Amino acid sequence: MAKNNNNNNDKMSREERGRMGGEATSRNHDKEFYQEIGQKGGEATSQNHDKDFYQEIGQKGGEATAENHDSEFYQEIGQKGGEATAENHDKEFYQEIGRKGGEATSENHDRDFYEEIGRKGGNSND
C-alpha cells in the first residue's frame, strides 16, 4: 500500500483511494460513458484555451512520440492513415486538397523556390 500522508495506518492514502475509485469506475461504466465525459472535457478545454495552448501540447506530444519511436513506427502509422483516408474519400477529395495545397504553397514561396525544386526534380532523372 502507498505511504499515508497523515501517518494513520487505518486510512488509505489519496493515491490508493484514487486508484481504487478508478478501478471501480472502469468496472461500472462502458465505452459510451468514457466517450461522453471525454467530449465534455474536450469542449470545456476548448472554451478555456486558445490556439497557442493546442500548438504547445501538440508539439510536446510530437517530441515525446519522436523520442519513443523510430522511423518504422512513422512509416506504419502513415501507411495506415493513408489507407484509411483512401477508403473514406473519393477522387474529388484528393483534387480539392491538392488545389488547396498548391494555393498555400504558391502564397508562401517565390519563383526561386519553384526553380530550385524544378532543378532538383530534373537532376533526379539523371
Side-chain angles (χ1 to χ4, degrees):
M1 186 184 307
K3 184 179 176 184
N4 193 326
N5 291 335
N6 59 9
N7 295 328
N8 185 343
N9 291 332
D10 293 335
K11 293 186 179 183
M12 277 187 257
S13 69
R14 179 180 298 161
E15 179 182 339
E16 186 73 6
R17 288 190 310 271
R19 183 187 63 76
M20 292 179 73
E23 290 172 358
T25 301
S26 72
R27 285 191 303 271
N28 296 322
H29 296 285
D30 59 7
K31 180 181 175 181
E32 287 76 24
F33 169 79
Y34 288 102
Q35 289 174 333
E36 185 179 331
I37 64 172
Q39 183 174 351
K40 288 179 181 178
E43 290 170 359
T45 301
S46 71
Q47 291 173 358
N48 295 317
H49 296 284
D50 61 6
K51 179 180 173 183
D52 292 338
F53 168 80
Y54 288 101
Q55 288 175 334
E56 183 179 335
I57 64 171
Q59 183 174 353
K60 287 179 181 178
E63 290 169 357
T65 302
E67 290 174 7
N68 294 311
H69 297 285
D70 59 9
S71 65
E72 290 176 11
F73 168 80
Y74 289 101
Q75 290 171 350
E76 183 180 331
I77 64 170
Q79 182 175 349
K80 288 179 180 177
E83 290 169 358
T85 301
E87 289 174 9
N88 294 312
H89 297 286
D90 60 8
K91 180 180 175 181
E92 287 77 24
F93 168 80
Y94 289 100
Q95 289 173 337
E96 178 69 10
I97 63 171
R99 184 187 61 74
K100 288 180 178 179
E103 289 174 0
T105 302
S106 69
E107 291 172 3
N108 294 312
H109 297 286
D110 60 9
R111 182 182 178 102
D112 292 338
F113 169 80
Y114 290 101
E115 289 175 358
E116 181 181 342
I117 63 171
R119 268 193 309 279
K120 287 180 180 177
N123 292 336
S124 69
N125 293 329
D126 293 338

